[in-house]
Amino acid sequence: MTGPLPTRTPAAVTAPAPVPRRTAGRVPYRLAFPPVSGVLRPRLVAVCAGLAVATFVVFCWGMSVGEIPLGLSDVVKAVLGTGDPGTQLIVRELRLPRATTGLLVGIAFGISGALFQTMTLNPLASPDMIGITQGAGAAVVAGLVLGWDAGLSTQSLGLAGALAAALIVYVLAWKRGTTGYRIVLVGIGVSWICTSVTDYLMAHGGQFQAQASLGWLVGNLNGRGWNEVRPLAVAMAVLVPVSLLLGRRLRTLQLGDDVAHGLGTSVQAVRLVTLLTGVGLVAFGTAAAGPVAFVALAAPQVAQRLARTAWPPPVAAGLTGALMVLAADLAARELIPDTELPVGVVTGVLGAPVLLWLLVRANRVGSGG
Amino acid sequence: MTRAKAPRAVLLVALPGAALLTLCLLSIAFGALSVPLGQVVETLFGHAPSARIDSVIWSVRIPRTALGLAAGAALGLSGCLMQALTRNPLADPGVLGVSAGAAFAIAVSVGVFGLGSVYGYIWFAFAGALFASVLVYLLGGVGRSCSTPVKLALAGVAITSLLSSLTSAIVLTDADALNRFRFWEAGSLANQNGDTLVRVLPFLAVGAVLALASAPALNSLALGDDVAASLGLRLGLIRVQGVAAVTLLTGGAVAVIGPVVFVGLVVPHLARILTQAAGIGPDHRWLLPLSAVLAPCLLLLADIAGRLIARPVEIQAGILVAFIGGPFFIAMVRRRRLAEL
């Protein structure tokens, strides 16, 4: 069991950071002026560009379908503020906010998942596995079933619940510092507690409230307007740049805490900032659309496999998340007429096969699992 | 060499055994009508103090307790087996999608076929669990190599979310199904009877035999795939045996009591703590039976608590297991590093 050497985190829990056998080509560059050097990954850039284009297409396409079908060109015109006033009203007041919510929520969940998975070295350590979305769920269902909303909107309840759960996880995982591994395990414990509260409320509340709760719990874009978009957009304007700046420091953590320390990374500080950023993104995303299932877990994994990198790339993960949510919303409205299925139901159904297909295709040990 | 810190017989046999026996007695004694322990023992030996006590104990409490015993043991065994097979201390029927498979099949039976009784949906749950675990295994195992633990777990999570999304879709579009389903989903030992147990017992028994028989192979597997293979272990065979056992155990248990979390995940860790204290180390010939004894202890404890806390309303055992289990698990994580596999 215990050898003479101090063991680090057990390899069974944290999959060893996969050693890429054949990463995509990396092109180191150095510019004399401005004095910048770095590594270009052509494949990653290509993947991001492809995802961005696909996301934009689905974003516009989603706004062109509905009660009154519109042409794509009309939609683009209306967004830019030209075209006839009627179309402008429909697009800018009804469809654009919904699509924007989907876009932002997807980006937020994707980036957040990438941060968590990189920090803990564990693809299963996404915010929807470690109690954060469950905390939001418990708070919202308590509000719906017990009437404890105290005048707060579902949005504020979700936000408060997510932040509270994250705080509890962090405090309980703190023991002379935190480790990614402890955060995951404690998070699972917290997620059980929150889920059991939700289950209790669902089983002992009235049927109408149970239905309403479930509708929120799977994640929904129905009836989302500018009021939902604003707080999310403001939060993301701050948090997304932070998460991109974290990238390199975060990746040194994959070498183990000691090595990271030796490379000049202040391990605990990076971990705390990462956690705060990831939680903030998820909390605001959940507040806007409910805990949309599976996006935070799958998007980074899909992006990692598309870009063939050794870690989930944040930008690609965010774009993948946005594409997932928007495509799911489109499918939910188009495939099954007369029912407005919540988007969260479809993200699971659409996203799971994609992830599974990638898992099957990456039929080599060590390609990220 | 580790020195035994406590007598083995006490830690590994007497203590868990006594706990289980005590909890069984309490489970028979407590409830809406509480019976003193003395009278419980008298009733068990056929000298019931009154006809009412006699009927409550024999037709309600004993079947319910037996159900808790069987389902708990099944969950404990399947959790222990899954952790050994995937070499991932976080593996359990919930994570690997087996419970979600059963739940989905039950949602289909309730929502599409309108079945309202356990009677009808046991078979569905079973088929769903089998489908999910075979799917996880195939997907996790596709490729040039045998399935790696992480790949398997990822496949499990993907399938879980796929199936639970479909479950939500069914339940959301049918208010009546939601009503029946949400009670089952909370995980309860109530409203079940002896027939249910008789129906699933054969499956649980076969699963338990398969699980216990794989103990020596699991010990070799703990050394890593390469070492195990060079010791002459047939990896494919042991994995198939494991998947079969897990399916039988989880499918049976979930059909009866709903998707109860925590038990399958934590009980094996408790068993490892006990074996370590006894100076044996993680030997699956001890771990599997211990898990099968400790898991029903937990489930019965939660069930008894659920009967007593909010009388006359009962809180489902599954909810309490998670509610008590969460803090307990966190305490375990904080106190010691969870024993490695």
Side-chain angles (χ1 to χ4, degrees):
Chain A
M1 283 294 290
T2 47
L5 291 170
T7 49
R8 282 199 296 112
T9 326
V13 177
T14 59
V19 183
R21 257 151 298 67
R22 201 165 52 93
T23 41
R26 280 182 287 191
V27 185
Y29 64 88
R30 254 177 91 177
L31 299 177
F33 189 82
V36 186
S37 66
V39 176
L40 266 182
R41 292 181 175 78
R43 188 183 172 94
L44 181 56
V45 175
V47 166
C48 285
L51 285 169
V53 171
T55 306
F56 179 74
V57 170
V58 177
F59 180 75
C60 294
W61 185 7
M63 285 191 287
S64 69
V65 300
E67 290 279 316
I68 306 163
L70 300 169
L72 275 177
S73 59
D74 295 339
V75 170
V76 176
K77 267 186 210 154
V79 171
L80 295 173
T82 54
D84 72 279
T87 314
Q88 270 198 50
L89 181 77
I90 292 171
V91 171
R92 298 183 70 166
E93 287 311 309
L94 299 172
R95 295 184 186 180
L96 188 59
R98 180 188 179 121
T100 312
T101 308
L103 177 79
L104 294 181
V105 164
I107 293 175
F109 279 175
I111 291 182
S112 172
L115 289 179
F116 274 97
Q117 292 176 8
T118 311
M119 177 177 80
T120 54
L121 306 179
N122 191 333
L124 299 178
S126 69
D128 36 10
M129 296 284 288
I130 65 165
I132 292 163
T133 49
Q134 287 84 349
V140 169
V141 174
L144 288 171
V145 172
L146 304 173
W148 278 1
D149 45 8
L152 288 172
S153 61
T154 311
Q155 241 191 314
S156 328
L157 280 171
L159 189 59
L163 293 173
L167 182 71
I168 292 169
V169 170
Y170 190 72
V171 168
L172 289 176
W174 180 269
K175 192 177 167 186
R176 293 190 302 279
T178 58
T179 62
Y181 164 66
R182 247 205 321 269
I183 289 177
V184 175
L185 291 180
V186 169
I188 287 173
V190 170
S191 90
W192 282 339
I193 298 170
C194 295
T195 309
S196 69
V197 170
T198 307
D199 279 349
Y200 173 77
L201 292 168
M202 293 275 286
H204 295 263
Q207 186 173 351
F208 173 73
Q209 284 97 331
Q211 195 111 16
S213 304
L214 191 61
W216 186 86
L217 280 173
V218 287
N220 222 323
L221 292 178
N222 296 339
R224 295 295 184 266
W226 289 118
N227 286 338
E228 280 77 18
V229 174
R230 258 180 233 110
L232 179 60
V234 171
M236 285 175 70
V238 177
L239 295 172
V240 172
V242 173
S243 57
L244 297 182
L245 291 172
L246 274 169
R248 186 179 301 185
R249 289 180 187 78
L250 195 53
R251 289 203 294 278
T252 59
L253 291 189
Q254 299 198 333
L255 305 169
D257 287 2
D258 301 341
V259 178
H261 217 82
L263 289 171
T265 307
S266 44
V267 175
Q268 294 303 334
V270 170
R271 213 171 258 140
L272 178 61
V273 175
T274 307
L275 195 71
L276 284 175
T277 314
V279 168
L281 287 168
V282 166
F284 279 94
T286 308
V292 182
F294 198 59
V295 176
L297 179 105
Q301 290 296 308
V302 171
Q304 180 182 332
R305 284 172 171 73
L306 286 176
R308 291 189 195 154
T309 49
W311 72 94
V315 177
L319 290 167
T320 311
L323 188 59
M324 267 175 86
V325 173
L326 291 169
D329 188 40
L330 185 63
R333 287 181 296 156
E334 282 300 281
L335 293 182
I336 313 164
D338 332 317
T339 53
E340 285 257 314
L341 268 184
V343 69
V345 169
V346 188
T347 45
V349 177
L350 281 182
V354 174
L355 180 59
L356 290 170
W357 177 70
L358 288 167
L359 277 171
V360 171
R361 265 205 50 212
N363 57 358
R364 303 182 300 256
V365 185
S367 51
Chain B
M1 284 300 288
T2 40
R3 292 237 325 279
K5 298 179 190 105
R8 280 181 200 188
V10 171
L11 271 174
L12 300 182
V13 182
L15 193 71
L20 188 58
L21 201 64
T22 312
L23 283 164
C24 283
L25 279 176
L26 292 177
S27 167
I28 294 169
F30 285 122
L33 167 77
S34 286
V35 185
L37 280 178
Q39 293 187 3
V40 169
V41 176
E42 280 170 24
T43 313
L44 292 179
F45 285 107
H47 310 292
S50 74
R52 180 155 170 258
I53 290 181
D54 190 65
S55 84
V56 162
I57 286 186
W58 284 105
S59 63
V60 179
R61 299 271 172 83
I62 287 184
R64 184 168 176 165
T65 306
L67 210 60
L69 272 175
L75 285 174
L77 276 173
S78 68
C80 191
L81 200 57
M82 279 182 168
Q83 292 182 9
L85 283 173
T86 57
R87 279 202 300 280
N88 181 341
L90 296 185
D92 84 319
V95 173
L96 291 193
V98 184
S99 302
F104 169 64
I106 287 176
V108 170
S109 78
V110 171
V112 180
F113 298 99
L115 299 175
S117 69
V118 182
Y119 222 66
Y121 59 51
I122 273 184
W123 298 104
F124 275 92
F126 210 74
L130 180 65
F131 169 74
S133 56
V134 167
L135 197 61
V136 172
Y137 181 70
L138 286 178
L139 285 162
V142 164
R144 231 174 285 166
S145 68
C146 286
S147 52
T148 62
V150 179
K151 209 164 144 182
L152 195 71
L154 261 181
V157 173
I159 286 168
T160 301
S161 64
L162 176 64
L163 292 170
S164 43
S165 297
L166 290 170
T167 306
S168 305
I170 291 173
V171 174
L172 272 169
T173 48
D174 180 348
D176 192 34
L178 167 68
N179 229 10
R180 282 204 294 268
F181 188 78
R182 65 194 172 119
F183 293 110
W184 173 83
E185 199 179 30
S188 173
L189 289 173
N191 321 323
Q192 308 279 19
N193 51 29
D195 291 353
T196 315
L197 183 60
V198 171
R199 207 167 282 271
V200 289
L201 210 50
F203 298 110
L204 297 184
V206 172
V209 169
L210 280 175
L212 292 169
S214 66
L218 294 179
N219 284 342
S220 316
L221 201 63
L223 303 170
D225 286 0
D226 300 346
V227 178
S230 61
L231 284 172
L233 191 71
R234 295 174 61 186
L235 294 176
L237 198 67
I238 181 67
R239 287 203 171 107
V240 169
Q241 183 182 344
V243 166
V246 161
T247 303
L248 289 168
L249 292 165
T250 313
V254 169
V256 175
I257 57 169
V260 172
V261 294
F262 179 73
V263 176
L265 183 59
V266 170
V267 161
H269 291 291
L270 285 178
R272 270 189 284 274
I273 290 171
L274 277 182
T275 53
Q276 215 164 18
I280 290 179
D283 180 346
H284 286 91
R285 285 168 306 182
W286 280 105
L287 289 180
L288 285 163
L290 268 178
S291 300
V293 172
L294 294 174
C297 286
L298 267 175
L299 197 58
L300 287 174
L301 188 65
D303 189 42
I304 297 166
R307 281 183 240 171
L308 299 180
I309 288 175
R311 278 201 272 192
V313 182
E314 278 195 10
I315 300 178
Q316 285 88 337
I319 290 175
L320 273 177
V321 163
F323 195 74
I324 303 166
F328 176 82
F329 183 65
I330 292 168
M332 216 162 80
V333 172
R334 283 184 60 81
R335 186 147 343 115
R336 39 172 296 125
R337 176 171 292 170
L338 288 181
E340 271 184 72
L341 283 175

